[in-house]
Amino acid sequence: MATATTPVQGESGEPALKRAIGTKLLFLFIIGDVLGTGIYALTGQVADEVGGAVWIPFLVAFAVAMLTACSYLELVTKYPRCAGAALYTHKAFGVHVLTFMVAFTVMCSGITSASTASRAFSSNSLELFGVDAPAPLVVTLVALAFMLLVAAINLRGVGESVKANMVLTLIELSGLLIVIGVGAWALFGGQGDLSRAASFDLNPDQAPFTAITAATALAFFALVGFEDSVNMAEETHDPVRTFPKVMFLALGTAGVLYLLVGVIAVAVVPLEELSEGDTPLLQVVSAGAPGFPIGVFALVTMFAVANSALLNMLMASRLLYGMAQEGVLPRFLGRVLHGRRTPWTAVVFSTCLSLILISVVSAIAAADPGSSVVANLGGTTSLLLLAVFTVVHVAVLVLRKDRVEHRHFTAPRGLPWVGAAVCLYLVTPLTPREPIQYQIAGALLVLGLVLWFFTWLHRRRQGLGTQVHDPSRLGG
């Protein structure tokens, strides 16, 4: 029997992951992952699509997120393990290439989001320390160094990582509360125009439904992150009881904050100014309280995007670990650091991918400075995740025939059908999306197929075919 000083052994012979996440830490993990780069950078881009009624796309995106959360909750409480969507896909369909591509897509969305956040962190930190117009190479080097720091925290342990998230999330929340407080003060003082929050400002050839759909596709990026938490199931105390109440509370809190921030932003700052640049909330604070120390809010923004990077890399490494345990990815990615009981090979692998991605994204931005890197990567991230969410909704329906011995959360009967239809629609070009988002997503999926082929070839040579390494692990 394992003692307090003896690491618990997992089914693969590696030490089991440490259960270090309770209700409060899980709440802060989810809300910290949802809040961040999206709301701090994309509010102006959403306003550019629909005008002052930015709260409508955020409300629609919130509804889609809640639909998807119900499906995730049914599956994570039914199968409380790492790997999330990829595990559910494998259980539902048993097709190796589909499982691999879902895992790869989710991992890419996390690493892309984290890499984008690291660039934002680098730019904000250099500006905060008074470095005017830094050379692109300097910005890239700071971003790379920051990602190495994130990896070090990740390797240190999930307890340390989630506690770091707790501090950063509180700072993140304080930034949004500053925006709400400053905006309310300005409005009560006679500044701004609250009626702008009810106005549409559309292109002459654009219908309101089309504009709202396009804005929702962007706004949804600000609400993704809740799905990352299911990859922490094996490190959460009593996940079957904890996840439902914490997930709904965290998403509800984020939704209220987003609606308040969206209304205040368009009321305080004119639309043509709000939609310029990647710092809309900084403009709100500057306009609503000219005497407020802007450096303080810039520091808050820097911590907010840092938190996004930390949580996305935490998710990516746990996803890799979980799929290696299931035998879908090479077993070496499931190795655990015995002293810290963290998935060290998965952390190293995901960090290397992020370093490569940062370098590539920086080169693209240098070649085409007129493009919005945040909007394009944010839109691509939501595109990839909406495709995954469609598969998850269908997996819920397929797996309802699979019974487990313990009680679990069950989504209302028709919600997975509605969720699948809505998510699939938001993936299609009917939204409409910028073509570059499909190009980036397509390139990533092609890369995933190439990696799957080499993984399949390696497993075939070992005589494993396309079956998981240990089928009993998938029994529920």
Side-chain angles (χ1 to χ4, degrees):
M1 184 175 72
T3 66
T5 58
T6 304
V8 179
Q9 297 293 313
E11 295 180 41
S12 63
E14 292 286 338
L17 297 182
K18 184 178 181 181
R19 293 193 182 274
I21 303 175
T23 301
K24 293 179 181 178
L25 286 181
L26 183 62
F27 173 81
L28 290 172
F29 181 96
I30 296 173
I31 198 169
D33 208 357
V34 172
L35 304 179
T37 307
I39 188 63
Y40 277 90
L42 285 180
T43 305
Q45 300 287 341
V46 175
D48 191 43
E49 294 285 348
V50 296
V54 295
W55 57 273
I56 295 178
F58 279 115
L59 185 61
V60 176
F62 173 73
V64 176
M66 289 296 284
L67 284 173
T68 306
C70 286
S71 288
Y72 267 96
L73 284 173
E74 177 166 336
L75 293 172
V76 74
T77 55
K78 197 173 185 179
Y79 313 109
R81 300 177 189 161
C82 290
L87 172 61
Y88 313 145
T89 302
H90 192 86
K91 281 184 171 290
F93 307 108
V95 180
H96 186 268
V97 62
L98 181 59
T99 302
F100 185 96
M101 290 305 297
V102 167
F104 182 81
T105 301
V106 174
M107 185 189 67
C108 280
S109 70
I111 293 176
T112 301
S113 180
S115 301
T116 307
S118 73
R119 284 282 303 186
F121 178 92
S122 176
S123 299
N124 278 278
S125 62
L126 290 170
E127 183 177 344
L128 182 65
F129 288 105
V131 180
D132 296 325
L137 180 59
V138 174
V139 178
T140 301
L141 289 176
V142 173
L144 295 175
F146 169 71
M147 289 307 300
L148 291 175
L149 176 62
V150 169
I153 296 174
N154 202 346
L155 282 171
R156 175 72 181 170
V158 68
E160 288 77 2
S161 298
V162 178
K163 287 172 185 175
N165 162 64
M166 179 174 65
V167 175
L168 293 175
T169 297
L170 293 175
I171 296 173
E172 206 168 45
L173 281 169
S174 70
L176 296 181
L177 293 176
I178 289 172
V179 172
I180 294 170
V182 166
W185 175 270
L187 290 173
F188 281 121
Q191 294 178 253
D193 182 4
L194 193 58
S195 66
R196 285 200 291 258
S199 66
F200 279 98
D201 185 13
L202 309 178
N203 296 327
D205 59 342
Q206 193 173 32
F209 179 79
T210 303
I212 291 173
T213 305
T216 299
L218 269 180
F220 192 74
F221 173 69
L223 278 158
V224 299
F226 63 89
E227 76 285 351
D228 292 348
S229 62
V230 301
N231 294 295
M232 312 304 292
E234 289 188 38
E235 295 167 281
T236 301
H237 297 297
D238 196 3
V240 174
R241 292 173 55 88
T242 301
F243 263 91
K245 61 182 179 182
V246 174
M247 180 81 80
F248 288 131
L249 180 61
L251 267 180
T253 302
V256 171
L257 288 172
Y258 280 12
L259 292 177
L260 289 173
V261 169
V263 170
I264 283 175
V266 298
V268 173
V269 180
L271 293 176
E272 59 273 10
E273 296 178 17
L274 189 68
S275 59
E276 295 178 358
D278 296 327
T279 57
L281 301 191
L282 187 61
Q283 295 181 50
V284 174
V285 175
S286 298
F292 190 89
I294 296 302
V296 172
F297 192 78
L299 186 63
V300 169
T301 302
M302 188 173 72
F303 281 124
V305 297
N307 200 32
S308 295
L310 174 62
L311 294 183
N312 275 285
M313 294 306 292
L314 198 65
M315 174 276 294
S317 61
R318 268 53 182 186
L319 189 151
L320 286 169
Y321 162 83
M323 293 318 298
Q325 291 294 303
E326 297 294 344
V328 178
L329 292 176
R331 299 292 294 179
F332 80 89
L333 289 172
R335 292 177 183 170
V336 175
L337 194 63
H338 285 260
R340 305 303 309 177
R341 288 164 64 186
T342 52
W344 71 270
T345 52
V347 171
V348 171
F349 186 81
S350 58
T351 301
C352 289
L353 283 180
S354 73
L355 297 180
I356 294 171
L357 186 57
I358 290 169
S359 302
V360 172
V361 169
S362 301
I364 292 174
D368 186 12
S371 64
S372 174
V373 176
V374 172
N376 288 335
L377 288 178
T380 303
T381 302
S382 65
L383 173 63
L384 293 171
L385 286 177
L386 283 165
V388 171
F389 293 165
T390 303
V391 176
V392 169
H393 285 301
V394 176
V396 170
L397 299 169
V398 173
L399 289 170
R400 289 217 160 143
K401 65 180 182 294
D402 183 26
R403 305 295 181 183
V404 294
E405 295 180 359
H406 63 273
R407 297 182 64 182
H408 59 84
F409 177 89
T410 302
R413 190 174 184 85
L415 287 190
W417 290 99
V418 176
V422 173
C423 289
L424 180 60
Y425 171 76
L426 290 173
V427 169
T428 68
L430 296 174
T431 27
R433 290 177 176 273
E434 292 294 330
I436 190 173
Q437 296 176 20
Y438 288 103
Q439 293 169 7
I440 296 172
L444 289 173
L445 293 179
V446 169
L447 175 61
L449 285 172
V450 172
L451 293 176
W452 169 81
F453 174 75
F454 284 108
T455 303
W456 171 82
L457 193 62
H458 173 71
R459 292 177 61 80
R460 186 178 182 183
R461 287 176 177 173
Q462 290 185 324
L464 297 175
T466 59
Q467 301 300 314
V468 294
H469 181 77
D470 183 2
S472 65
R473 285 270 299 165
L474 298 176

